[in-house]
Protein backbone atom coordinates (compact mmCIF):
# COMPACT_ATOMS: atom_id res chain seq x y z
CA UNK A 1 0.00 0.00 0.00
CA UNK A 2 1.54 3.31 -1.05
CA UNK A 3 1.69 5.88 1.70
CA UNK A 4 2.79 9.48 1.97
CA UNK A 5 2.88 12.19 4.58
CA UNK A 6 1.09 15.48 4.21
CA UNK A 7 2.31 18.21 3.89
CA UNK A 8 4.07 16.73 0.84
CA UNK A 9 2.99 17.60 -2.67
CA UNK A 10 0.30 15.15 -3.74
CA UNK A 11 -1.36 14.51 -7.10
CA UNK A 12 -4.06 17.08 -7.80
CA UNK A 13 -6.73 14.39 -8.10
CA UNK A 14 -6.13 13.13 -4.56
CA UNK A 15 -8.77 14.39 -2.14
CA UNK A 16 -8.30 12.03 0.79
CA UNK A 17 -9.41 13.33 4.15
CA UNK A 18 -9.42 12.31 7.78
CA UNK A 19 -12.22 10.19 9.11
CA UNK A 20 -15.23 12.00 10.51
CA UNK A 21 -14.19 10.76 13.98
CA UNK A 22 -10.73 12.35 13.74
CA UNK A 23 -12.11 15.61 12.40
CA UNK A 24 -14.59 15.67 15.26
CA UNK A 25 -11.73 15.18 17.73
CA UNK A 26 -9.85 18.12 16.21
CA UNK A 27 -12.94 20.31 16.56
CA UNK A 28 -13.29 19.26 20.20
CA UNK A 29 -9.55 19.82 20.72
CA UNK A 30 -9.79 23.33 19.26
CA UNK A 31 -12.74 24.27 21.45
CA UNK A 32 -11.40 22.68 24.63
CA UNK A 33 -8.07 24.49 24.28
CA UNK A 34 -9.66 27.83 23.29
CA UNK A 35 -8.46 27.80 19.71
CA UNK A 36 -9.93 31.22 19.00
CA UNK A 37 -7.09 32.68 21.09
CA UNK A 38 -4.20 30.63 19.69
CA UNK A 39 -1.03 32.29 18.43
CA UNK A 40 -1.22 31.37 14.76
CA UNK A 41 1.93 31.35 12.66
CA UNK A 42 2.26 32.89 9.21
CA UNK A 43 0.89 31.19 6.11
CA UNK A 44 4.11 29.28 5.45
CA UNK A 45 3.17 27.08 8.43
CA UNK A 46 -0.20 26.21 6.92
CA UNK A 47 -3.76 27.43 7.31
CA UNK A 48 -5.71 28.44 10.37
CA UNK A 49 -8.09 25.68 11.45
CA UNK A 50 -11.45 26.11 9.72
CA UNK A 51 -13.56 24.17 12.20
CA UNK A 52 -16.85 25.75 11.12
CA UNK A 53 -16.61 24.44 7.58
CA UNK A 54 -18.32 21.02 7.35
CA UNK A 55 -16.34 20.29 4.16
CA UNK A 56 -12.97 21.16 5.75
CA UNK A 57 -10.03 18.96 4.80
CA UNK A 58 -7.23 19.42 7.36
CA UNK A 59 -4.81 17.36 5.28
CA UNK A 60 -5.27 19.03 1.90
CA UNK A 61 -5.64 22.49 3.47
CA UNK A 62 -2.53 21.91 5.59
CA UNK A 63 -3.96 22.98 8.90
CA UNK A 64 -1.19 24.35 11.07
CA UNK A 65 0.41 21.73 13.29
CA UNK A 66 -1.35 18.83 11.58
CA UNK A 67 0.47 16.05 9.71
CA UNK A 68 -1.54 13.37 7.97
CA UNK A 69 -0.59 9.94 6.73
CA UNK A 70 -2.45 9.27 3.49
CA UNK A 71 -3.14 6.25 1.34
CA UNK A 72 -3.60 7.16 -2.31
CA UNK A 73 -4.99 3.74 -3.19
CA UNK A 74 -7.73 4.05 -0.56
CA UNK A 75 -8.14 7.80 -1.03
CA UNK A 76 -8.12 8.40 2.72
CA UNK A 77 -5.87 9.78 5.47
CA UNK A 78 -5.27 9.33 9.17
CA UNK A 79 -4.00 11.82 11.72
CA UNK A 80 -0.29 11.22 12.34
CA UNK A 81 1.04 14.28 14.18
CA UNK A 82 -0.14 17.25 16.22
CA UNK A 83 2.59 19.88 16.58
CA UNK A 84 1.42 23.05 18.35
CA UNK A 85 4.38 24.34 20.41
CA UNK A 86 3.93 27.82 21.87
CA UNK A 87 0.48 28.31 20.35
CA UNK A 88 -1.11 29.51 23.57
CA UNK A 89 -3.20 26.41 24.24
CA UNK A 90 -5.15 26.98 27.44
CA UNK A 91 -7.48 24.32 28.79
CA UNK A 92 -7.68 20.56 29.06
CA UNK A 93 -7.93 17.51 26.81
CA UNK A 94 -11.41 16.68 25.52
CA UNK A 95 -12.79 13.22 26.28
CA UNK A 96 -12.82 12.43 22.55
CA UNK A 97 -9.01 12.70 22.45
CA UNK A 98 -8.95 9.04 23.47
CA UNK A 99 -9.97 8.21 19.89
CA UNK A 100 -6.59 9.32 18.52
CA UNK A 101 -4.87 5.98 18.93
CA UNK A 102 -2.64 6.20 15.84
CA UNK A 103 -0.72 9.40 16.58
CA UNK A 104 3.04 9.17 16.18
CA UNK A 105 3.85 12.67 17.50
CA UNK A 106 2.13 14.88 20.07
CA UNK A 107 4.09 18.08 20.63
CA UNK A 108 2.32 20.63 22.84
CA UNK A 109 5.36 22.14 24.55
CA UNK A 110 5.38 25.67 25.94
CA UNK A 111 1.64 26.26 26.36
CA UNK A 112 -0.74 26.80 29.27
CA UNK A 113 -2.26 23.36 29.62
CA UNK A 114 -3.64 22.71 33.11
CA UNK A 115 -4.57 19.05 33.05
CA UNK A 116 -3.22 15.54 33.47
CA UNK A 117 -2.45 13.23 30.57
CA UNK A 118 -5.69 11.68 29.25
CA UNK A 119 -6.43 8.54 31.28
CA UNK A 120 -8.38 6.72 28.54
CA UNK A 121 -5.95 7.50 25.75
CA UNK A 122 -3.94 4.42 24.73
CA UNK A 123 -1.76 5.25 21.71
CA UNK A 124 0.06 2.28 20.24
CA UNK A 125 2.18 4.08 17.63
CA UNK A 126 3.32 7.14 19.58
CA UNK A 127 7.01 7.94 19.10
CA UNK A 128 7.29 11.43 20.58
CA UNK A 129 5.32 12.84 23.50
CA UNK A 130 6.31 16.38 24.43
CA UNK A 131 4.14 18.34 26.85
CA UNK A 132 7.03 20.14 28.54
CA UNK A 133 6.70 23.69 29.85
CA UNK A 134 3.03 23.58 30.78
CA UNK A 135 1.16 23.37 34.09
CA UNK A 136 0.19 19.71 33.90
CA UNK A 137 -0.10 17.48 36.94
CA UNK A 138 -1.21 14.06 38.11
CA UNK A 139 0.52 10.70 37.89
CA UNK A 140 1.67 9.13 34.64
CA UNK A 141 -0.88 6.77 33.05
CA UNK A 142 0.08 3.11 32.77
CA UNK A 143 -0.38 3.00 28.99
CA UNK A 144 2.86 4.94 28.57
CA UNK A 145 4.87 1.90 29.62
CA UNK A 146 3.17 -0.35 27.06
CA UNK A 147 4.00 1.80 24.05
CA UNK A 148 7.23 0.19 22.89
CA UNK A 149 7.49 2.61 19.94
CA UNK A 150 8.09 5.58 22.25
CA UNK A 151 11.40 7.30 21.51
CA UNK A 152 11.06 10.63 23.32
CA UNK A 153 9.21 11.32 26.57
CA UNK A 154 9.55 15.02 27.41
CA UNK A 155 7.57 16.07 30.48
CA UNK A 156 9.90 18.62 32.09
CA UNK A 157 8.65 21.80 33.76
CA UNK A 158 5.25 20.62 34.93
CA UNK A 159 3.87 19.30 38.23
CA UNK A 160 3.64 15.56 37.52
CA UNK A 161 4.07 13.40 40.60
CA UNK A 162 4.47 9.82 41.73
CA UNK A 163 7.11 7.14 41.38
CA UNK A 164 8.83 6.22 38.14
CA UNK A 165 7.29 2.89 37.15
CA UNK A 166 9.50 -0.19 36.94
CA UNK A 167 7.72 -0.90 33.64
CA UNK A 168 9.72 1.89 32.02
CA UNK A 169 12.22 -0.80 31.10
CA UNK A 170 9.83 -1.94 28.37
CA UNK A 171 10.55 1.22 26.35
CA UNK A 172 13.52 -0.23 24.49
CA UNK A 173 13.48 2.55 21.87
CA UNK A 174 13.51 5.43 24.35
CA UNK A 175 16.32 7.91 23.65
CA UNK A 176 15.11 11.07 25.47
CA UNK A 177 13.71 10.95 29.00
CA UNK A 178 13.30 14.44 30.43
CA UNK A 179 11.32 14.71 33.66
CA UNK A 180 13.02 17.72 35.27
CA UNK A 181 11.19 20.31 37.36
CA UNK A 182 8.31 18.11 38.48
CA UNK A 183 7.29 16.42 41.75
CA UNK A 184 8.40 12.86 41.01
CA UNK A 185 9.62 10.86 44.00
CA UNK A 186 10.85 7.43 45.05
CA UNK A 187 13.91 5.53 43.92
CA UNK A 188 15.08 4.96 40.38
CA UNK A 189 13.93 1.53 39.19
CA UNK A 190 16.57 -1.00 38.19
CA UNK A 191 14.70 -1.45 34.89
CA UNK A 192 16.27 1.82 33.67
CA UNK A 193 19.26 -0.41 32.98
CA UNK A 194 17.35 -1.81 29.99
CA UNK A 195 17.15 1.54 28.15
CA UNK A 196 20.15 0.90 25.93
CA UNK A 197 19.10 3.56 23.40
CA UNK A 198 18.91 6.32 26.03
CA UNK A 199 20.89 9.44 25.11
CA UNK A 200 19.44 12.13 27.39
CA UNK A 201 18.39 11.46 30.98
CA UNK A 202 17.20 14.66 32.68
CA UNK A 203 15.39 14.38 36.02
CA UNK A 204 16.69 17.45 37.85
CA UNK A 205 14.68 19.24 40.53
CA UNK A 206 12.39 16.46 41.71
CA UNK A 207 12.19 14.44 44.93
CA UNK A 208 13.94 11.26 43.87
CA UNK A 209 15.89 9.50 46.59
CA UNK A 210 18.30 6.62 47.04
CA UNK A 211 21.60 5.43 45.63
CA UNK A 212 22.60 5.12 41.99
CA UNK A 213 24.15 1.70 42.44
CA UNK A 214 20.93 -0.13 41.56
CA UNK A 215 21.31 0.95 37.92
CA UNK A 216 23.60 -1.00 35.59
CA UNK A 217 25.05 2.14 34.02
CA UNK A 218 27.41 0.20 31.78
CA UNK A 219 24.37 -0.82 29.71
CA UNK A 220 23.66 2.81 28.80
CA UNK A 221 26.49 3.14 26.32
CA UNK A 222 24.68 5.78 24.24
CA UNK A 223 24.10 8.14 27.16
CA UNK A 224 25.33 11.66 26.34
CA UNK A 225 23.64 13.88 28.95
CA UNK A 226 22.96 13.05 32.60
CA UNK A 227 21.29 15.65 34.81
CA UNK A 228 20.07 14.52 38.24
CA UNK A 229 20.64 17.79 40.10
CA UNK A 230 18.49 18.92 43.01
CA UNK A 231 17.14 15.61 44.24
CA UNK A 232 17.87 13.55 47.36
CA UNK A 233 20.32 11.00 46.04
CA UNK A 234 23.11 9.81 48.32
CA UNK A 235 26.03 7.39 48.37
CA UNK A 236 28.93 7.41 45.93
CA UNK A 237 29.03 7.72 42.14
CA UNK A 238 29.18 4.13 40.79
CA UNK A 239 32.26 3.10 38.85
CA UNK A 240 30.08 1.89 35.96
CA UNK A 241 28.73 5.45 35.62
CA UNK A 242 32.20 6.97 35.76
CA UNK A 243 33.32 4.69 32.92
CA UNK A 244 30.70 5.77 30.36
CA UNK A 245 32.79 6.92 27.41
CA UNK A 246 30.19 9.05 25.62
CA UNK A 247 29.15 11.50 28.31
CA UNK A 248 29.13 15.13 27.17
CA UNK A 249 27.21 16.61 30.11
CA UNK A 250 27.38 15.37 33.72
CA UNK A 251 25.36 17.15 36.43
CA UNK A 252 24.80 15.63 39.88
CA UNK A 253 24.81 18.80 42.00
CA UNK A 254 22.70 19.54 45.07
CA UNK A 255 22.33 15.99 46.35
CA UNK A 256 24.03 14.12 49.19
CA UNK A 257 26.84 12.27 47.42
CA UNK A 258 30.11 11.67 49.20
CA UNK A 259 33.53 10.23 48.48
CA UNK A 260 36.16 11.55 46.12
CA UNK A 261 35.29 13.65 43.07
CA UNK A 262 34.17 11.29 40.31
CA UNK A 263 36.83 11.05 37.62
CA UNK A 264 34.98 10.32 34.37
CA UNK A 265 36.37 8.32 31.47
CA UNK A 266 34.72 10.34 28.70
CA UNK A 267 37.21 12.32 26.60
CA UNK A 268 34.41 14.39 25.03
CA UNK A 269 33.06 15.75 28.33
CA UNK A 270 32.02 19.40 28.13
CA UNK A 271 30.09 20.03 31.36
CA UNK A 272 31.02 18.74 34.82
CA UNK A 273 28.77 19.84 37.67
CA UNK A 274 29.04 18.31 41.15
CA UNK A 275 28.34 21.30 43.43
CA UNK A 276 26.48 21.18 46.77
CA UNK A 277 27.41 17.66 47.79
CA UNK A 278 29.79 16.19 50.36
CA UNK A 279 32.71 15.27 48.11
CA UNK A 280 36.09 15.24 49.83
CA UNK A 281 39.74 14.95 48.87
CA UNK A 282 41.69 16.80 46.22
CA UNK A 283 40.96 17.98 42.70
CA UNK A 284 42.94 15.54 40.58
CA UNK A 285 44.30 16.91 37.24
CA UNK A 286 42.04 14.64 35.20
CA UNK A 287 38.98 16.57 36.35
CA UNK A 288 40.12 19.72 34.57
CA UNK A 289 42.49 18.72 31.80
CA UNK A 290 40.08 17.67 29.08
CA UNK A 291 40.31 19.10 25.60
CA UNK A 292 36.60 19.94 25.25
CA UNK A 293 35.66 20.91 28.80
CA UNK A 294 33.63 24.12 29.02
CA UNK A 295 32.05 24.19 32.47
CA UNK A 296 33.43 22.92 35.78
CA UNK A 297 31.43 23.47 38.97
CA UNK A 298 32.90 21.82 42.09
CA UNK A 299 31.69 24.45 44.56
CA UNK A 300 30.16 23.87 48.00
CA UNK A 301 31.87 20.60 48.79
CA UNK A 302 34.63 19.68 51.27
CA UNK A 303 37.58 19.69 48.89
CA UNK A 304 41.14 20.31 50.01
CA UNK A 305 44.54 20.74 48.41
CA UNK A 306 45.48 22.87 45.44
CA UNK A 307 43.85 23.52 42.09
CA UNK A 308 45.88 21.61 39.49
CA UNK A 309 47.48 23.50 36.65
CA UNK A 310 45.52 23.62 33.40
CA UNK A 311 47.49 22.49 30.38
CA UNK A 312 45.19 20.86 27.81
CA UNK A 313 42.12 23.11 28.03
CA UNK A 314 41.32 25.89 25.55
CA UNK A 315 37.52 26.05 25.66
CA UNK A 316 36.75 26.65 29.35
CA UNK A 317 33.98 29.23 29.90
CA UNK A 318 33.10 28.74 33.59
CA UNK A 319 35.16 27.53 36.54
CA UNK A 320 33.33 27.55 39.89
CA UNK A 321 35.10 26.20 42.97
CA UNK A 322 33.96 28.43 45.83
CA UNK A 323 33.09 27.28 49.35
CA UNK A 324 35.69 24.56 49.76
CA UNK A 325 39.01 24.51 51.63
CA UNK A 326 41.33 24.82 48.65
CA UNK A 327 44.80 26.24 49.19
CA UNK A 328 47.80 27.39 47.22
CA UNK A 329 48.04 29.66 44.17
CA UNK A 330 45.48 30.11 41.44
CA UNK A 331 46.93 28.31 38.40
CA UNK A 332 47.99 30.74 35.70
CA UNK A 333 46.52 28.56 32.96
CA UNK A 334 43.06 29.34 34.27
CA UNK A 335 43.30 32.94 33.10
CA UNK A 336 44.65 32.07 29.68
CA UNK A 337 41.35 30.62 28.52
CA UNK A 338 40.16 32.68 25.52
CA UNK A 339 36.45 32.08 26.17
CA UNK A 340 36.47 32.33 29.96
CA UNK A 341 33.40 34.19 31.25
CA UNK A 342 33.10 33.27 34.93
CA UNK A 343 35.49 32.37 37.74
CA UNK A 344 34.24 31.91 41.31
CA UNK A 345 36.84 30.93 43.91
CA UNK A 346 35.51 32.70 47.00
CA UNK A 347 35.51 31.19 50.50
CA UNK A 348 38.69 29.16 50.11
CA UNK A 349 42.24 29.69 51.38
CA UNK A 350 43.84 30.45 48.04
CA UNK A 351 46.95 32.56 47.77
CA UNK A 352 45.63 35.28 45.50
CA UNK A 353 48.59 37.59 46.13
CA UNK A 354 50.97 35.30 44.29
CA UNK A 355 49.12 35.63 41.03
CA UNK A 356 49.09 38.69 38.80
CA UNK A 357 46.68 38.44 35.90
CA UNK A 358 48.40 39.57 32.68
CA UNK A 359 47.16 42.87 31.30
CA UNK A 360 45.13 42.86 28.08
CA UNK A 361 47.18 43.49 24.93
Amino acid sequence: MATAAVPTAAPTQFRGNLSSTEISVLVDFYKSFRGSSWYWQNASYGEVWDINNPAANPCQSRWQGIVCKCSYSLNQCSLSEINLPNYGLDGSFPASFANLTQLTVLNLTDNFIVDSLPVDWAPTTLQILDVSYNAMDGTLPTYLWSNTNLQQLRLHYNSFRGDLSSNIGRLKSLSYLTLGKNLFSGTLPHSLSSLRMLRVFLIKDNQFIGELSNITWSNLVRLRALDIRENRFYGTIPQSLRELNGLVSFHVGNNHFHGSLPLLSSVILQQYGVSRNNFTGTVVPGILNRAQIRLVDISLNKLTGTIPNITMVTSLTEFIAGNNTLTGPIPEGLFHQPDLQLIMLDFNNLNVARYHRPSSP
Side-chain angles (χ1 to χ4, degrees), residues 7-23:
T8 297
T12 56
Q13 68 273 16
F14 181 72
R15 292 292 183 268
N17 200 355
L18 300 177
S19 67
S20 58
T21 297
E22 289 181 320
I23 292 178

Side-chain angles (χ1 to χ4, degrees), residues 332-357:
E332 293 190 11
L334 188 58
F335 290 101
H336 290 287
Q337 300 299 310
D339 299 320
L340 192 64
Q341 299 175 8
L342 177 65
I343 299 177
M344 295 185 68
L345 303 173
D346 50 327
F347 298 101
N348 282 289
N349 296 315
L350 296 168
N351 187 355
V352 180
R354 291 185 56 186
Y355 180 78
H356 300 283
R357 182 171 182 174

Side-chain angles (χ1 to χ4, degrees), residues 198-345:
L198 194 63
R199 296 176 60 86
V200 174
F201 184 42
L202 187 158
I203 58 171
K204 69 176 184 178
D205 202 356
N206 279 284
Q207 299 170 16
F208 288 114
I209 194 169
E211 299 192 47
L212 302 183
S213 55
N214 64 323
I215 308 297
T216 308
W217 295 97
S218 55
N219 288 350
L220 309 184
V221 294
R222 291 178 171 81
L223 193 63
R224 296 296 178 264
L226 174 73
D227 193 342
I228 61 172
R229 284 176 284 186
E230 299 175 58
N231 281 283
R232 301 174 184 174
F233 294 115
Y234 53 83
T236 59
I237 304 299
Q239 188 63 28
S240 60
L241 175 53
R242 301 178 188 217
E243 293 176 354
L244 288 177
N245 291 323
L247 278 177
V248 175
S249 177
F250 177 81
H251 288 281
V252 300
N254 205 356
N255 282 287
H256 304 288
F257 293 116
H258 66 268
S260 60
L261 284 180
L263 181 59
L264 307 182
S265 298
S266 175
V267 297
I268 59 174
L269 190 69
Q270 296 181 15
Q271 297 186 18
Y272 180 86
V274 298
S275 66
R276 295 181 181 271
N277 280 288
N278 296 307
F279 290 116
T280 56
T282 60
V283 184
V284 297
I287 300 291
L288 282 172
N289 287 309
R290 297 168 182 270
Q292 299 183 41
I293 197 73
R294 298 183 60 83
L295 178 148
V296 175
D297 186 353
I298 56 176
S299 63
L300 290 152
N301 281 287
K302 300 176 181 179
L303 303 174
T304 58
T306 60
I307 301 174
N309 195 25
I310 298 175
T311 57
M312 298 173 54
V313 183
T314 59
S315 56
L316 191 65
T317 60
E318 297 182 29
F319 180 68
I320 307 170
N323 290 86
N324 284 288
T325 317
L326 299 171
T327 58
I330 301 174
E332 293 190 11
L334 188 58
F335 290 101
H336 290 287
Q337 300 299 310
D339 299 320
L340 192 64
Q341 299 175 8
L342 177 65
I343 299 177
M344 295 185 68
L345 303 173

Side-chain angles (χ1 to χ4, degrees), residues 96-117:
S96 61
F97 194 82
N99 294 320
L100 299 183
T101 59
Q102 299 302 309
L103 278 182
T104 60
V105 175
L106 179 63
N107 178 6
L108 304 178
T109 185
D110 201 7
N111 283 290
F112 307 103
I113 301 173
V114 183
D115 197 6
S116 57
L117 287 171

Side-chain angles (χ1 to χ4, degrees), residues 33 92-98 106 108 115-123 129 131 136-137 139-144 160:
F33 283 115
S92 57
F93 290 92
S96 61
F97 194 82
L106 179 63
L108 304 178
D115 197 6
S116 57
L117 287 171
V119 176
D120 296 326
W121 186 41
L129 174 59
V131 292
M136 300 187 67
D137 57 14
T139 58
L140 301 185
T142 57
Y143 60 71
L144 282 179
F160 291 114

Side-chain angles (χ1 to χ4, degrees), residues 140-142 145 162-170 187-189 191-192:
L140 301 185
T142 57
W145 320 124
D163 294 351
L164 192 56
S165 172
S166 60
N167 291 325
I168 195 173
R170 299 175 181 175
T187 59
L188 297 182
S191 57
L192 283 170

